[in-house]
Each structure stands twice: as C-alpha cells, then as structure tokens.
Amino acid sequence: MILNEQIEHKGNAFPTKIIDFKKDVDTLYFSSENGVILQMTILRDSMFRFRYATGAKFENDFSYAISHDAVRGYNKLEITEDIEKYIITTSKLVCYISKTDLRSRIYDAIDETLISEDELGFHWEESYELGGNIVKMTKSSPNGESFYGLGDKAEHTNLKGKRFQNWATDSYAFGRYTDPIYKAIPFYTALQNKKSYGIFFDNSFRAYFDFCSERRNVTSFWAEGGEMNYYFIYGPKMQDVVAAYTNLTGTPELPPLWALGYHQCKWSYYPESNVKEITQKFRDLRIPCDAIYLDIDYMEGFRCFTWSKDYFPEPKKMVKELADDGFKTVVIIDPGIKIDLEYDVFQEGLEKDYFCRRADGPYMKGKVWPGECYFPDFTRKEVREWWAGLFQELIEDIGVKGVWNDMNEPAVMDVPGKSFPNDVRHDYDGNPCSHRKAHNIYGMQMAKATYMGLKKYNYPLRPFVITRSAYSGTQRYTSTWLGDNVATWEHLWIANVQAQRMAMSGFSFVGSDIGGFAQQPNGELYARWIQLGIFHPFCRTHSSGDHGDQEPWTFGQEVTDVVRKFIELRYQLLPYLYTSFYKYIEEGIPMLKSLVLFDQEDTQTHHRTDEFMAGEHILACPIGEPNAKGRRMYIPKGTWYNFWTHEQVLGGDEKWVDADLDSMPLFVKEGAILPIYPVQQYVGEKEIEQLTLDIYYKDGKEESDVFEDANDGYDYTKGRYSLRHFTLTGKEGKLTIKQHKSGSFITSYETFKINLIGLPFEIKTIKIDSEEISFEDLKLTHRTFEITKNFNQLQVIG
C-alpha cells in the first residue's frame, strides 16, 4: 500500500510551468515544460473533467463507465488569464489553473467561496516493475469536511478519517472494516460549509482513497496504472451531485414490477420436489413471494447452461408449473466454464478462442465449483454476443425469467489472491491490457453480456439480472446484492449502511442477503432483517443451506406472522417503490437516501448511519440489537407522522420510538400522498380495482407522484404510462389536492380510495372540480371516501 509519505517522497515527478495553451470547443489543453498535458473538458456548468498525460501523449480515450446518454452542455464558458493563472468561468464555477505547476482551485461562481483546492495536485511515479505510472492526486481538505459514497464499503456512512482500496474481491463472511470487498465504485461526495461536490476517478486499475486518514487536512486518491482521469461535479446540493454522477454513468431501464416483489433463495433448493415444497408452503401460509432461485446444484456437475437430469428431469415443465402458481424462476450463472471436451459450451468457447489467456499464451486456468475451468474474456464484443446467445434455451425455451451472476470478481479458488493473476490478458474492447486494468470491470462486462441475452430472448418483456461484482456504470444492466454476509446483528447494521452507500453511489437497485448468508439467524434477527429488507429495492432472503433453513416460517408462528405482515406491507407499497424507481431513472434521485443526502443543511445528519429515507416520503430505521422494545433515532427537521399510530412528531431531535418485534420505527413526511395496492400473493395475482391514496395532512404545500404502467414490457418508453403528479396544499379549515396526469396508459381501476390522515378539522364539504359532492355518493366513512381517478382538483372543507 502506498502511504501519503511515499506519495510525497518516493520518486515522484510533478508538472512544471505551462508553456502552451489551446482551446478546442469545450476542451482546454495546458502543456507543461516537462511534457505533462492537462486536458480539461467542460461537460456542464457544474462538471469538469481533468485528464493528465505525462509523456506528451494520451492513451486512447475509452471508458466502460460513461453512459452514451450522459447530458452535456453549458450556458457560459469564459477563459481569461493573469500573470499567475488561467481562469475558466462557467455560470456555476470558476476554476484557476496555476501557470507554475498545473494545480487547480475551484470556486462557486455565485458567492466566490472556495470549493476544492489541489494540495500537491497531480503527480506520478514511474513503475519500473510493471510499466506505466502510478498516478496520484492530493487535495486540501478543510476542517469539518465529510466524505460519502465509494460504493460497497462495510463502514460508517461518513468516510472521514478512513482509507480504502478499490479491488473487486470475493470476501466470504466479510466483517465490518473488511476492505476491499465485492465492488469497485470510485466515486465519492464531499460536504463542507453546507456545499457538496463529487469526485469520480474513472480508472479501473487497483485504486486507493485516503480521506484525511494519514494527514488531517489532506485527501488523496491514486491508482497503480492508467491515467489520472477524474470528473469534478458540483452541487451545491448533495442530491444534485449524485444525480449528475448517475446521469454520467447511466441508469437502468425499469425492471418488471415482479422484480420488486419478495424473492426466496438458498444454496440450494433441489431436487424439483424441494422447490415445489417451498413454493407451495408460501402459498399455503399466504406469504407473498414472486421469485424462487436455483443455485449451482440445478446444473449438471456445475456446468453453466445445463440442468441436472437427476434433480430436474423436466425443467421446462417445472418452470411452467411454477409460473402458473405465480413464481418466476431465477437461476445462477458463473463465469467459470468447466474444462470438458464433451461439454458443448466449453467446446465452442475453445474452438472460437473466447477464453482469457496468460501473457505467454496458455489459457487462464482456475478452480471453481465445476473443478478446473477456463474463463471467457467478456471485454471482447464477440464474446459478449456469444455469451448472450447461450441464454436462448434457458430463457426462450425453458422460461427462466431472471439470471444471477455470481463469482464474477472474478473469484478463483486455488490462486493466490483468489482471482486471476496480473499477467492474464484482455481485449478491453480494442484496448489490449493485462488483468491489472481489466479486473475491476470483469464482473460488469459479464453482467452486460448476461443482460444482452435476457433482453434478446425475454423480449418483449424486460430483463432481470443480478450481479455480485460491479464497477461504476454497472447499474445500467443489472441489480446487485451485497455479497456473502453473516447472520449477526453487526451484519444487519452493515447491510443498512452498504445499501445506503450504494444508492448514493448511483446504484439504487440493491439489497442484502436477508437474514445473513453464512451461519443462521435466530427468529428475532431474521424478523428485524426482513423489516429492513422490505425497504431495499432488491428484497431477497438468501442463505447457505450448510447452516440450516431460512424460510419465513422457519422460526415459529410469532416470527412467521411478523414476517408475513412486513412482506405484505412491501406489496402494499409496490406503487410507491415503482414510482421511486421511475424517479431514479428519470432524475437520478437515489431510491434510498442517507439522512445527510436528505438534509445536508442539518449537521446532525452528517454522522447518522441507521436512519434513512426510502423514496421521497418514508423515514425508516431498523432495530439493530436483540431484545429491543424500541430505540432512539434521529428524526429530521419538519413534521412527521408515525406510520403505525398516525401521531404527529416534530423533528430536528433524537427521540425514543416504541417498536416491539412486530413493529419498526417508520415515519411519513407530512403532506405525503402514498399510493397503496391491495395485498397480493404475487404481482399480477389480482387486477387492481381501486388505488388507495393515504394522504397525510400538512399546513403548507407538498408534492407527490404515482407512476404506473403495464408492469412489464417497453410500451412505457413510447408514452404508454400513467404519471400522476399531486400537489397538496393545506390551510386552516381547507385541504386542496390538485392532480396533473401525463402519459397515455389507462389503469385498470376507475376510482381512488382516499384516506385522510391527521386532518385537523371536521369535514363539512367535499368538492371535486368545484362541484360539491354528497357524502353518500362519496361513501364517506369518517375520513375515508371514494372519488373518480380523473379529478383535477379535490377540496376538503371544514
């Protein structure tokens, strides 16, 4: 590991004075006397890209992370200079580039406050052993600055004072502080003086981040190869930084609604009779579930794209019968292809030379579940297309609806480091390289190839893919889970902060192995984990069968009833979750928000870990210790309603909240309108005949949305969706709700059931579009009534 002391003193080289400057539309080039070139690109008024070359020549500009659909463009660009510096001005930022050493300083263009400043700035060290440069950047960090993001780290949400490594790693039974683990997402957000900026270091080599760990007022990032290539993104709101990064690296398409239901998984459910027994028990006990997973034992000798004739003699028939009962079948596919000349996938890969090779020519051979294997080079387009084609039988013929990519860090069992050696070669889409560069994107490209196959053979329905390993941008293709965790209370806490961090790192479609993968939880821990898990976008119980059963009914009647209650709540909230997913796609808004992301103005939120926002309106906080009858939690500023009791609570303080085993602390923001579906055993079991709107009164104004479509397929991309935008305005003795609908999709229901919560006056009159409606016609009962879905304005008058 390279220490900051070494960064300063061990053979470092630095840019010297600028001798040339030129401008090419939105890109500026600053050339130094010793051959360093800074290429600065103005992507937006609030986003700059900094890229440095040390030999007067840049590498081919290629990135797997950047989305082709990323928004570019700015309103203002002025370049001036004085004796000391070049001055680049946009409508939001002013950047100084020092003429003596290329160091940068960036200011808010409005109030001229300093946002970011290079300390040593860019420098490098030539790697004589491996070739190329170790590229480094250090920046000054003022007192009080906090840092967030960096993807999948089992740490406190605030990264201040910590150091991390980005190297995708199979980390079975990892613990708090284990680093690195499964994903490498080199993006972080900083917050100081109530202003936020982000840094995305787009370099796929092994990289390091130091957040004032070694030196109190210095933060640094560096990589063991490649270029110093990073994006500076300014808010000043943290949510805008995250949204801009998410737009830069891309968002997924909408998942099918069933993918947001509850899923059940285990290593492993087999044979077929065991799968049927599990699925039947879900239906018998009336516990909603949409998907059942098959782990590696469904295959013939762990060979990918095969079925065990002993365990699953008629897979197509079984998958059809499961589908008839409302279960989608999801299967695992790993990257290791068994070396077996009788195995057609291996034969074809060998014949077409699709497997990774070592530097001197032999194929990369490693032991995983099938034994000795070769591994496809997913960085080749033709290999991804071949891999996608292998899914035809699974998806188109047999009827599997989802695929789960595991072991794709890549993980290898009998090699030092548990992965490919550095000398393995990859095509990198026409940019040949060693595994040092390709390692962190290997899982991403496997997930992309899998996504391509499902999209092709599941068409016209939407694909559903899960990956364990990821790099920035992987969210365009797949969901993810948080790896092989452990059934402990500590891991319940870890799962909570990991999911929050992934969401603020652009990857919202995330969840943990509910209950823990390794070892076995007791009933209380499992119930508490379900309570957390129903608010994660990906909601799946997964466990290792080595440690016992882990289905919802495993822990006795009391726990079964609690688990059923919360899974039912998940299904009631499906339109709310679906709407949150839509806003994530359209606006880059994380589906989960740490409190600091929700209210960065409040310094009390900067170090909170447990509490989070699920969507725009629900505040959740899991119970994280045994035998608890409640907990203390911080409730953000504003007025909130206790979800269970409807009691109003004034935020901005830490409070005790009662929560016995059958409850958890949940609050709803005042003014919210929550869409509620009836409980279903699986998505599509019932036609939705009426949408319930739970309306939480506010003295003031609040906005809410409800997005609906056909729950699958691509008609929504052609305008066949229903997006209802509600504006609630509460005044003394009057509540007004205005609705604006866009999209051409016509929902199956014709009416809303209105539940008015916290209304501070007795209802005397109800008007719809200025016409008074009788209480009898509205079926008014206390503060619940029915109205047509197509109203423009609803007025409730006291």
Side-chain angles (χ1 to χ4, degrees):
M1 181 175 290
I2 304 165
L3 302 178
N4 281 340
E5 294 170 350
Q6 295 171 303
I7 287 177
E8 284 189 80
H9 303 300
K10 186 184 176 183
N12 286 310
F14 295 82
T16 52
K17 68 179 182 179
I18 294 174
I19 59 171
D20 185 55
F21 165 76
K22 65 178 181 179
K23 176 179 180 292
D24 183 9
V25 190
D26 60 357
T27 303
L28 317 179
Y29 295 89
F30 305 90
S31 299
S32 77
E33 196 172 43
N34 64 341
V36 177
I37 303 173
L38 164 59
Q39 180 194 79
M40 180 181 175
T41 305
I42 315 304
L43 297 168
R44 300 190 193 182
D45 289 295
S46 58
M47 185 187 299
F48 300 156
R49 181 188 183 192
F50 294 87
R51 187 179 177 215
Y52 299 81
T54 59
K57 185 178 180 182
F58 287 97
E59 298 176 0
N60 185 36
D61 191 10
F62 176 80
S63 171
Y64 283 117
I66 305 303
S67 168
H68 295 302
D69 299 321
V71 173
R72 294 182 63 156
Y74 46 82
N75 297 310
K76 175 183 178 181
L77 177 58
E78 294 179 356
I79 297 132
T80 57
E81 62 178 297
D82 60 25
I83 194 169
E84 297 179 340
K85 60 188 177 290
Y86 287 91
I87 304 164
I88 300 95
T89 303
T90 70
S91 63
K92 292 189 177 181
L93 293 172
V94 178
C95 179
Y96 294 168
I97 303 295
S98 168
K99 289 184 174 181
T100 59
D101 53 16
L102 289 178
R103 286 191 294 177
S104 68
R105 282 181 288 162
I106 301 177
Y107 296 82
D108 185 307
I110 306 301
D111 61 18
E112 300 181 350
T113 55
L114 180 63
I115 306 300
S116 174
E117 179 179 18
D118 286 356
E119 189 243 2
L120 294 176
F122 169 64
H123 48 297
W124 73 98
E125 178 186 344
E126 188 170 352
S127 175
Y128 293 100
E129 178 187 359
L130 298 171
N133 294 327
I134 300 166
V135 292
K136 313 170 186 180
M137 174 62 67
T138 60
K139 292 184 176 290
S140 298
S141 178
N143 291 334
E145 188 168 33
S146 297
F147 303 92
Y148 306 89
L150 219 61
D152 195 2
K153 302 295 181 186
E155 253 287 4
H156 196 287
T157 50
N158 192 329
L159 304 175
K160 182 70 171 282
K162 307 296 193 326
R163 178 184 291 230
F164 300 95
Q165 179 182 166
N166 265 12
W167 188 251
T169 302
D170 179 8
S171 302
Y172 173 79
F174 66 95
R176 186 174 179 178
Y177 311 125
T178 298
D179 185 65
I181 50 179
Y182 300 95
K183 298 168 186 69
I185 300 181
F187 166 72
Y188 69 86
T189 307
L191 176 63
Q192 51 134 330
N193 296 324
K194 298 183 179 179
K195 292 185 177 182
S196 183
Y197 68 89
I199 297 284
F200 170 41
F201 181 28
D202 189 8
N203 182 312
S204 62
F205 283 81
R206 189 188 296 261
Y208 302 84
F209 295 80
D210 185 298
F211 299 104
C212 307
S213 173
E214 185 173 337
R215 288 193 288 161
R216 181 179 177 187
N217 293 111
V218 177
T219 185
S220 54
F221 49 93
W222 63 99
E224 293 183 351
E227 290 182 341
M228 175 51 60
N229 172 31
Y230 73 92
Y231 295 76
F232 178 88
I233 306 167
Y234 183 48
K237 291 183 178 179
M238 188 183 293
Q239 183 163 293
D240 292 339
V241 174
V242 173
Y245 163 79
T246 304
N247 175 266
L248 180 68
T249 57
T251 54
E253 57 198 22
L254 270 173
L257 186 61
W258 66 263
L260 298 181
Y262 173 74
H263 298 186
Q264 185 70 35
C265 184
K266 180 180 180 178
W267 179 29
S268 285
Y269 289 130
Y270 70 94
E272 178 181 320
S273 59
N274 179 233
V275 176
K276 293 287 190 65
E277 178 187 355
I278 295 296
T279 54
Q280 187 58 51
K281 193 146 189 177
F282 271 101
R283 298 299 181 242
D284 291 345
L285 294 176
R286 306 291 293 169
I287 299 173
C289 183
D290 259 283
I292 188 76
Y293 285 61
L294 303 180
D295 210 317
I296 55 176
D297 295 283
Y298 83 90
M299 304 174 191
E300 190 69 52
F302 306 137
R303 293 166 180 83
C304 292
F305 305 101
T306 68
W307 290 82
S308 166
K309 296 179 180 62
D310 293 331
Y311 298 150
F312 298 98
E314 296 182 84
K316 183 174 183 177
K317 179 173 178 287
M318 179 194 72
V319 169
K320 169 71 165 55
E321 290 170 351
L322 291 172
D324 289 344
D325 202 20
F327 287 94
K328 309 295 190 295
T329 302
V330 181
V331 300
I332 195 169
I333 292 288
D334 292 345
I337 300 301
K338 182 176 177 59
I339 299 173
D340 176 1
L341 291 173
E342 303 298 317
Y343 171 32
D344 58 351
V345 176
F346 175 78
Q347 284 178 332
E348 188 174 5
L350 192 65
E351 177 185 327
K352 296 183 177 180
D353 195 26
Y354 283 165
F355 298 120
C356 295
R357 288 183 180 271
R358 304 292 293 268
D360 295 325
Y363 285 112
M364 165 59 207
K365 182 189 292 186
K367 183 179 179 182
V368 281
W369 300 116
E372 289 190 333
C373 292
Y374 289 165
F375 300 82
D377 182 4
F378 294 109
T379 72
R380 292 170 59 186
K381 180 181 179 182
E382 62 269 31
V383 175
R384 291 194 297 270
E385 291 173 348
W386 168 69
W387 187 261
L390 295 175
F391 286 97
Q392 182 169 6
E393 182 181 8
L394 269 179
I395 308 302
E396 195 172 71
D397 181 32
I398 293 175
V400 165
K401 292 300 179 185
V403 172
W404 157 34
N405 287 160
D406 197 6
M407 302 290 286
N408 59 344
E409 288 72 30
V412 183
M413 295 173 178
D414 60 350
V415 174
K418 293 186 176 180
S419 192
F420 293 2
N422 284 339
D423 77 320
V424 171
R425 296 308 191 239
H426 299 269
D427 180 71
Y428 214 86
D429 279 274
N431 301 275
C433 66
S434 76
H435 193 66
R436 295 196 311 125
K437 183 175 182 178
H439 175 88
N440 281 333
I441 57 85
Y442 187 86
M444 174 195 201
Q445 293 308 298
M446 180 187 181
K448 179 180 179 179
T450 302
Y451 163 84
M452 288 165 54
L454 268 72
K455 186 160 186 175
K456 180 176 182 179
Y457 296 114
N458 197 43
Y459 190 83
L461 302 181
R462 304 171 201 160
F464 175 61
V465 180
I466 319 167
T467 185
R468 189 168 75 176
S469 184
Y471 182 74
S472 293
T474 308
Q475 69 270 8
R476 299 195 295 268
Y477 314 115
T478 177
S479 63
T480 190
W481 89 104
L482 299 169
D484 293 341
N485 57 6
V486 186
T488 64
W489 289 95
E490 179 181 67
H491 264 273
L492 175 62
W493 180 88
I494 291 172
N496 186 9
V497 295
Q498 278 181 296
Q500 291 179 47
R501 194 188 321 283
M502 286 294 292
M504 72 167 67
S505 302
F507 207 140
S508 275
F509 201 178
V510 62
S512 68
D513 283 349
I514 293 173
F517 178 74
Q519 302 177 24
Q520 189 179 30
N522 61 22
E524 182 187 14
L525 175 57
Y526 183 73
R528 292 305 193 189
W529 211 316
I530 281 281
Q531 292 168 0
L532 169 67
I534 69 154
F535 290 103
H536 286 168
F538 177 48
C539 181
R540 179 185 75 162
T541 292
H542 180 39
S543 65
S544 166
D546 293 342
H547 303 102
D549 295 333
Q550 204 159 295
E551 290 75 42
W553 52 83
T554 302
F555 306 99
Q557 189 63 50
E558 179 187 16
V559 171
T560 300
D561 291 343
V562 171
V563 170
R564 181 191 296 107
K565 171 183 174 179
F566 277 88
I567 293 177
E568 287 180 345
L569 177 58
R570 168 83 175 198
Y571 279 75
Q572 290 176 298
L573 290 173
L574 277 178
Y576 176 78
L577 295 168
Y578 202 48
T579 301
S580 298
F581 212 114
Y582 173 78
K583 298 194 79 165
Y584 161 55
I585 292 170
E586 291 297 309
E587 302 174 34
I589 298 173
M591 295 176 70
L592 304 175
K593 300 184 191 70
S594 299
L595 290 196
V596 66
L597 197 62
F598 175 71
D599 185 3
Q600 69 190 54
E601 301 288 318
D602 181 0
T603 56
Q604 290 297 315
T605 68
H606 295 189
H607 293 272
R608 306 302 303 197
T609 59
D610 295 358
E611 308 90 342
F612 64 93
M613 293 295 298
E616 296 289 283
H617 299 302
I618 296 178
L619 171 67
C621 186
I623 299 292
E625 58 184 26
N627 305 313
K629 301 294 185 181
R631 63 163 297 154
R632 293 192 66 80
M633 63 174 284
Y634 185 75
I635 299 177
K637 292 177 180 179
T639 302
W640 301 79
Y641 287 85
N642 185 304
F643 179 82
W644 309 106
T645 67
H646 297 164
E647 173 192 1
Q648 282 190 335
V649 176
L650 188 64
D653 199 2
E654 192 172 80
K655 300 180 185 297
W656 173 266
V657 181
D658 289 326
D660 213 336
L661 185 63
D662 66 345
S663 184
M664 75 174 289
L666 288 179
F667 293 86
V668 181
K669 189 179 177 184
E670 65 168 346
I673 298 178
L674 298 187
I676 305 294
Y677 275 173
V679 173
Q680 303 175 76
Q681 294 308 298
Y682 56 90
V683 169
E685 182 201 23
K686 299 176 180 177
E687 183 173 281
I688 307 303
E689 297 178 345
Q690 186 177 64
L691 181 68
T692 297
L693 299 178
D694 285 350
I695 298 174
Y696 293 79
Y697 178 82
K698 177 181 181 177
D699 184 4
K701 183 178 286 188
E702 191 71 31
E703 297 183 346
S704 301
D705 296 286
V706 181
F707 176 87
E708 295 171 287
D709 66 0
N711 299 336
D712 209 338
Y714 290 93
D715 278 357
Y716 79 95
T717 65
K718 304 165 188 174
R720 291 209 66 210
Y721 59 83
S722 168
L723 178 62
R724 300 178 186 276
H725 181 76
F726 297 106
T727 302
L728 176 149
T729 304
K731 298 179 181 178
E732 184 175 352
K734 188 175 183 180
L735 175 66
T736 302
I737 298 168
K738 294 181 179 180
Q739 177 185 202
H740 176 264
K741 181 184 178 297
S742 57
S744 61
F745 181 74
I746 299 174
T747 59
S748 58
Y749 56 85
E750 293 297 328
T751 60
F752 294 136
K753 180 180 179 181
I754 303 293
N755 284 334
L756 297 176
I757 297 166
L759 193 70
F761 53 82
E762 292 299 318
I763 300 173
K764 295 180 180 177
T765 305
I766 295 176
K767 293 183 178 181
I768 297 176
D769 298 334
S770 302
E771 180 182 345
E772 185 173 337
I773 310 297
S774 73
F775 290 172
E776 184 179 353
D777 288 343
L778 293 167
K779 301 179 183 178
L780 177 68
T781 305
H782 190 46
R783 292 174 181 174
T784 299
F785 54 90
E786 297 180 5
I787 64 171
T788 173
K789 68 179 180 181
N790 293 320
F791 75 89
N792 293 310
Q793 179 174 274
L794 167 66
Q795 293 175 300
V796 180
I797 302 167

